[in-house]
């Protein structure tokens, strides 16, 4: 049970990273970006490009402390994040911005984002094929406590990196002028416009934050499990549930929603077959929405 | 001097024409009020002046310059600020952050101005760190006005600041508006509440997208026919 909770927190932290970016974009543009999961896949594979390169050049191959991975993956975070940010901004510029300009309904953007998702996954399949890939081969060390509770050492790294990223974004949104303007924009777009806040310029920031978080989520998920082209697309369901649970546009809500989803899914496997995990997540989501239709921290309907 | 001049403006939303040719003038340093029932086009007129709605005909002048069709974010730069009637705060931001957003386009240090605004609305001072969405109706209106004041506007466009407030708070808001005017801010005030006349120098009465009467506020108040017809007396 405790083991499942620990694993739930690990998974929940990764879900939270993905859902924060998703809800930020949703809050500002009313777009529910279905490509977010596949952007996560691209983030994970971008890091794989660099770990493969480092392996080929035989540099940065020393293991990091007690963890299963080497310094290559730690360094690979940086270029992978940059690629992910550029991809996010480019998708918005070339796909969603023209749709916004045309003033289409948000459902059109939703459908378009499914198209983007399939396109991204297609590219991943073309380049890397359908096989599983690993950042590092070999054993994954575990810690076993006297009480019999055990977990993988890598999970400590995953939780720390997740929460550092969350802290970073929290500080950005609450302490900087740009971050505050992003929150203002999600709060009340017409008033932001009246205050002279440039919506399109702010959106570049929003997509950059989303791109950063989703790349970190993708790499961490890759460390925890393995790389496969469907990893992000399947991950979209818990992201979706976490965001809805938290309430549209609520960053803190997405954080809580992500943790709830991660823990609930894992703990449920104590009684149910693991294949029921997504169902458990959605039952919780539906129950919450029956009693709080706006989500845990969502805005009340206007 | 006329700081703001609206000439024969025709405007509306899509194919729905709301204003059928309205002209008003606002003199520098005065309080001018637009009175009229719901649907008279008062809000549309404010939104048209501020560039949120594009007029199909007519012109708008600010200090003698044609500002017709200038986007709203430019308005803030030239000295016009607008306080919408509803949804005029950022609910999940704190009071102080709301004021900071009001000063978003200012590149200079605006801490003095913020303190000044807190001194205009002392009630807000204790609530600096509170979420704006948790404020009472009266405080929200003060915050909304405070946000618009962060840019030291020369003209403040106010849309029904008395909506939904208890009479004692309405008095307080109008008293604050008078005070701001004494500080040199020109005010164009949209109201349904005839009490606004007592604060105003000049008034226009609107109905059905047209101007029905205009004149010094005191005269309109004294006019029996207007009182009966439009002011509910």
């Amino acid at each position: 049970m405790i083991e499942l909770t620990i694993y739930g927190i690990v998974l929940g932290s990764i879900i939270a990273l993905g859902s924060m970016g998703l809800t930020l974009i949703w809050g500002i543009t009313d777009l529910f970006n279905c490509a977010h999961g596949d952007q996560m896949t691209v983030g994970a594979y971008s890091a794989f490009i660099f770990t493969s390169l480092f392996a080929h050049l035989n540099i940065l191959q020393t293991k990091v402390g007690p963890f299963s991975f080497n310094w290559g993956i730690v360094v690979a975070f940086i270029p992978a994040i940059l690629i992910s940010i550029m991809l996010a901004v480019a998708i918005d510029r070339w796909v969603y911005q023209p749709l916004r300009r045309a003033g289409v309904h948000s459902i059109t953007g939703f459908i378009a984002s499914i198209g983007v998702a399939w396109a991204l996954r297609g590219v991943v399949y073309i380049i890397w094929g359908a096989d599983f890939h690993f950042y590092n081969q070999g054993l994954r060390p575990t810690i076993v406590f006297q009480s019999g509770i055990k977990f993988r050492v890598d999970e400590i790294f995953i939780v720390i990196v997740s929460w550092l990223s969350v802290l970073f974004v929290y500080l950005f949104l609450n302490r900087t002028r740009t971050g505050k303007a992003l929150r203002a924009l999600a709060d009340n777009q017409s008033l932001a416009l009246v205050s002279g806040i440039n919506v399109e310029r702010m959106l570049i920031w929003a997509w950059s934050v989303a791109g950063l978080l989703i790349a970190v989520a993708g790499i961490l998920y890759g460390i925890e499990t393995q790389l496969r082209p469907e990893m992000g697309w399947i991950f979209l369901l818990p992201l979706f549930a976490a965001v809805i649970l938290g309430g549209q546009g609520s960053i803190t809500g997405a954080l809580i929603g992500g943790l709830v989803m991660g823990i609930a899914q894992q703990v449920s496997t104590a009684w149910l077959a693991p294949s029921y995990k997504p169902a458990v997540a959605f039952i919780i989501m539906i129950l919450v929405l029956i009693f709080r239709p706006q989500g845990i921290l969502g805005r009340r309907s206007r | 001097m006329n700081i703001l001049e609206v000439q024969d403006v025709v405007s509306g939303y899509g194919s729905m024409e709301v204003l059928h040719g309205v002209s008003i003038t606002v003199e520098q340093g005065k309080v001018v009020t637009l009175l009229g029932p719901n649907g008279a086009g008062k809000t549309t007129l404010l939104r048209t002046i501020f560039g949120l709605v594009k007029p199909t005909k007519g012109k708008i002048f600010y200090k003698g310059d044609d500002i017709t069709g200038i986007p709203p974010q430019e308005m803030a730069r030239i000295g016009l600020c607008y306080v919408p009637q509803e949804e005029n705060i950022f609910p999940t931001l704190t009071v102080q952050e709301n004021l900071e957003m009001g000063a978003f386009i200012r590149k200079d240090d605006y801490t003095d101005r913020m303190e000044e605004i807190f001194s205009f609305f002392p009630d807000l001072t204790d609530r600096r760190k509170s979420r704006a969405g948790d404020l009472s109706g009266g405080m929200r209106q003060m915050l909304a006005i405070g946000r618009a004041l962060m840019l030291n506007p020369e003209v403040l466009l106010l849309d029904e600041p008395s909506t939904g407030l208890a009479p004692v708070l309405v008095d307080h808001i109008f008293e604050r508006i008078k005070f701001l005017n004494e500080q040199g801010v020109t005010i164009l005030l949209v109201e349904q509440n005839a009490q606004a006349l007592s604060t105003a120098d000049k008034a226009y009465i609107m109905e059905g997208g047209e101007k029905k009467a205009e004149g010094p506020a005191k005269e309109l108040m004294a006019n029996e026919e207007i009182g009966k017809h439009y002011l509910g007396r």
Side-chain angles (χ1 to χ4, degrees):
Chain A
M1 196 68 180
I2 295 170
E3 259 172 57
L4 289 173
T5 310
I6 291 171
Y7 185 61
I9 291 171
V10 172
L11 188 67
S13 303
I14 301 175
I15 296 174
L17 285 182
S19 51
M20 282 167 78
L22 195 56
T23 204
L24 185 65
I25 300 292
W26 189 29
I28 297 176
T29 65
D30 258 352
L31 167 76
F32 195 90
N33 177 29
C34 289
H36 214 58
D38 288 283
Q39 284 174 250
M40 175 176 168
T41 312
V42 171
Y45 275 88
S46 302
F48 184 65
I49 299 176
F50 292 93
T51 54
S52 311
L53 181 71
F54 297 146
H56 186 71
L57 299 172
N58 205 18
I59 51 171
L60 299 167
Q61 296 302 302
T62 9
K63 294 268 184 226
V64 183
F67 303 116
S68 77
F69 47 85
N70 56 39
W71 281 101
I73 185 72
V74 178
V75 175
F77 265 95
I78 295 157
I81 286 170
L82 291 177
I83 291 172
S84 177
I85 289 175
M86 285 190 288
L87 177 72
V89 173
I91 293 172
D92 184 58
R93 176 57 52 90
W94 289 324
V95 183
Y96 303 135
Q97 194 190 62
L99 291 175
R100 276 199 300 280
R101 293 247 160 98
V104 299
H105 194 270
S106 58
I107 197 79
T108 313
F110 179 80
I111 303 290
S113 73
I114 295 177
V116 173
W118 283 81
L120 291 178
R121 205 167 337 131
V123 171
V124 171
Y125 267 117
I126 291 167
I127 301 177
W128 288 281
D131 292 342
F132 287 10
H133 290 281
F134 296 89
Y135 289 127
N136 283 106
Q137 300 289 352
L139 284 173
R140 299 184 179 192
T142 50
I143 295 179
V144 184
F145 286 101
Q146 278 177 333
S147 52
I149 294 165
K150 61 176 186 292
F151 61 91
R152 296 218 293 270
V153 187
D154 291 355
E155 287 168 351
I156 299 170
F157 176 81
I158 291 169
V159 170
I160 290 173
V161 173
S162 303
W163 288 87
L164 281 179
S165 310
V166 168
L167 182 69
F168 174 77
V169 170
Y170 177 84
L171 290 176
F172 171 71
L173 290 174
N174 286 284
R175 296 275 189 273
T176 68
R177 175 173 169 271
T178 308
K180 289 174 190 175
L182 275 177
R183 284 163 54 222
L185 203 54
D187 246 16
N188 187 338
Q189 188 153 158
S190 62
L191 192 63
L193 189 72
V194 165
S195 308
I197 296 172
N198 183 328
V199 178
E200 288 298 330
R201 191 176 306 160
M202 283 300 138
L203 273 174
I204 296 178
W205 281 102
W207 281 98
S208 302
V209 170
L212 180 151
L213 289 173
I214 202 66
V216 174
I219 302 169
L220 293 179
Y221 194 52
I223 292 173
E224 174 70 15
T225 57
Q226 67 287 104
L227 301 176
R228 54 184 200 281
E230 303 281 341
M231 63 191 274
W233 178 245
I234 292 164
F235 214 74
L236 191 64
L237 284 177
L239 289 187
F240 183 86
V243 167
I244 302 272
L245 197 61
Q248 176 175 12
S250 170
I251 301 283
T252 321
L255 193 61
I256 297 169
L259 284 174
V260 169
M261 282 300 145
I263 295 169
Q265 287 195 32
Q266 290 311 321
V267 171
S268 75
T269 59
W271 303 282
L272 296 168
S275 52
Y276 292 122
K277 276 198 293 193
V280 171
F282 277 87
I283 287 168
I284 291 172
M285 186 187 90
I286 290 165
L287 285 177
V288 169
L289 291 183
I290 288 171
F291 296 104
R292 266 189 85 78
Q294 73 273 31
I296 298 173
L297 292 175
R299 294 168 285 193
R300 267 165 225 120
S301 57
R302 290 179 243 178
Chain B
M1 191 193 106
N2 291 338
I3 193 162
L4 195 64
E5 204 169 333
V6 176
Q7 291 179 353
D8 292 316
V9 158
V10 175
S11 146
Y13 306 93
S15 58
M16 191 178 72
E17 191 180 295
V18 179
L19 295 176
H20 317 294
V22 176
S23 301
I24 65 165
T25 53
V26 179
E27 293 83 10
Q28 183 149 27
K30 304 282 181 184
V31 179
V32 175
T33 180
L34 298 172
L35 274 174
N38 259 334
K42 307 175 304 276
T43 297
T44 307
L45 182 54
L46 276 198
R47 290 175 60 87
T48 308
I49 294 172
F50 201 69
L52 290 160
V53 182
K54 265 202 155 131
T56 46
K57 245 188 243 162
K59 291 215 174 302
I60 298 150
F61 295 93
Y62 172 72
K63 291 183 172 173
D65 297 327
D66 186 353
I67 57 161
T68 323
I70 290 181
Q73 57 268 37
E74 286 305 309
M75 296 291 174
R77 278 177 225 279
I78 60 174
L80 277 162
C81 282
Y82 168 56
V83 182
Q85 180 186 0
E86 282 168 337
E87 295 184 21
N88 50 18
I89 53 163
F90 299 110
T92 71
L93 271 59
T94 65
V95 167
Q96 185 167 331
E97 285 171 340
N98 265 268
L99 295 182
E100 287 172 23
M101 287 302 108
F104 185 76
I105 62 170
R106 280 181 75 153
K107 298 278 184 273
D108 55 338
D109 181 21
Y110 50 75
T111 35
D112 287 353
R113 181 62 181 165
M114 194 182 284
E115 292 317 311
E116 212 173 351
I117 286 167
F118 278 124
S119 72
F120 290 164
F121 303 112
D123 294 352
L124 291 176
T125 317
D126 310 329
R127 306 294 301 270
R128 257 169 206 266
K129 303 276 176 210
S130 312
R131 266 168 48 113
D134 297 337
L135 297 180
S136 65
M139 289 224 236
R140 273 177 192 234
Q141 285 300 346
M142 291 177 211
L143 178 60
I145 297 172
R147 183 203 57 81
L149 288 174
M150 283 300 289
L151 294 176
N152 284 308
E154 294 197 49
V155 179
L156 192 59
L157 310 174
L158 284 173
D159 196 352
E160 298 202 30
S162 75
T163 321
L165 297 186
V168 56
L169 284 170
V170 173
D171 289 346
H172 183 58
I173 287 275
F174 283 149
E175 181 267 313
R176 287 286 91 183
I177 291 170
K178 190 84 203 149
F179 172 77
L180 289 172
N181 178 243
E182 283 157 9
Q183 310 282 306
V185 186
T186 307
I187 288 167
L188 178 57
L189 173 67
V190 157
E191 267 298 342
Q192 284 194 55
N193 189 335
Q195 209 184 328
L197 282 177
S198 55
T199 321
D201 299 300
K202 186 167 84 170
Y204 291 91
I205 295 185
M206 287 180 68
E207 193 179 29
E210 284 165 6
K211 190 166 72 182
K212 294 291 182 191
E214 64 178 287
K218 286 200 177 72
E219 281 180 27
L220 289 182
M221 256 198 293
N223 187 319
E224 263 187 40
E225 203 182 321
I226 286 173
K228 226 194 278 178
H229 226 86
Y230 299 106
L231 308 178
R233 265 186 251 150

